[in-house]
C-alpha cells in the first residue's frame, strides 16, 4: 500500500541513488550522475481526463524505474524525500530485464 493515493495523472516517485540502481547500462554525460536521474514509481493515479471527459490511463505502473532530470514537485514525508510528477516529466522508462 502506498503512503499517498495519487490523483489524476500524478505519480509518486522515490529517489534511487545512481550507484544503487538495478543493473542497467546507460551512458551518461560526465557529472550527470551527481543529480538524481533514477526514480522508482511508488504510486500512480488513475490517469488524466481529457477535455471531452475520457480518461487516459498512465503507461507506467508501480515498481517501474524511470529517468527524469529536474521536473516534479519535491515533497518530504517522515524525513524521506519523494517527488510527485507526471509522465510528461519523464525522459524514459528503464526496461525490466
Amino acid at each position: 500500500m502506498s503512503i499517498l493515493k495519487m490523483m489524476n495523472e500524478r505519480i509518486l516517485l522515490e529517489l534511487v541513488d545512481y550507484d544503487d540502481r538495478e543493473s542497467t547500462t546507460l551512458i551518461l554525460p560526465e557529472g550527470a550522475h551527481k543529480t538524481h536521474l533514477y526514480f522508482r514509481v511508488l504510486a500512480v493515479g488513475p490517469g488524466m481526463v481529457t477535455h471531452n471527459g475520457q480518461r487516459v490511463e498512465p503507461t507506467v505502473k508501480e515498481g517501474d524505474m524511470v529517468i527524469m532530470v529536474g521536473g516534479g514537485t519535491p515533497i518530504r514525508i517522515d524525513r524521506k524525500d519523494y517527488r510527485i510528477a507526471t509522465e510528461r516529466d519523464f525522459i524514459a522508462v528503464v526496461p525490466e530485464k
Side-chain angles (χ1 to χ4, degrees):
M1 183 170 155
S2 176
I3 55 176
L4 294 175
K5 180 180 178 182
M6 295 290 96
M7 304 295 293
N8 297 319
E9 72 269 22
R10 307 291 190 298
I11 299 167
L12 180 64
L13 304 168
E14 174 183 41
L15 301 171
V16 177
D17 288 336
Y18 181 78
D19 293 333
D20 294 339
R21 71 192 188 286
E22 295 166 9
S23 59
T24 300
T25 302
L26 180 67
I27 299 171
L28 299 170
E30 186 175 326
H33 65 281
K34 295 178 183 175
T35 62
H36 284 288
L37 295 173
Y38 288 85
F39 295 85
R40 183 171 288 109
V41 176
L42 296 181
V44 180
M48 146 177 107
V49 177
T50 65
H51 66 282
N52 62 0
Q54 292 182 323
R55 187 168 299 275
V56 178
E57 293 185 16
T59 57
V60 297
K61 63 187 180 312
E62 289 181 20
D64 282 351
M65 186 78 69
V66 298
I67 300 173
M68 181 174 73
V69 178
T73 303
I75 63 169
R76 181 170 272 229
I77 300 172
D78 295 332
R79 297 185 207 151
K80 190 165 182 184
D81 293 324
Y82 300 93
R83 293 239 180 130
I84 296 177
T86 65
E87 288 184 321
R88 286 171 289 203
D89 297 317
F90 303 157
I91 294 171
V93 176
V94 178
E96 296 180 25
K97 290 198 173 195

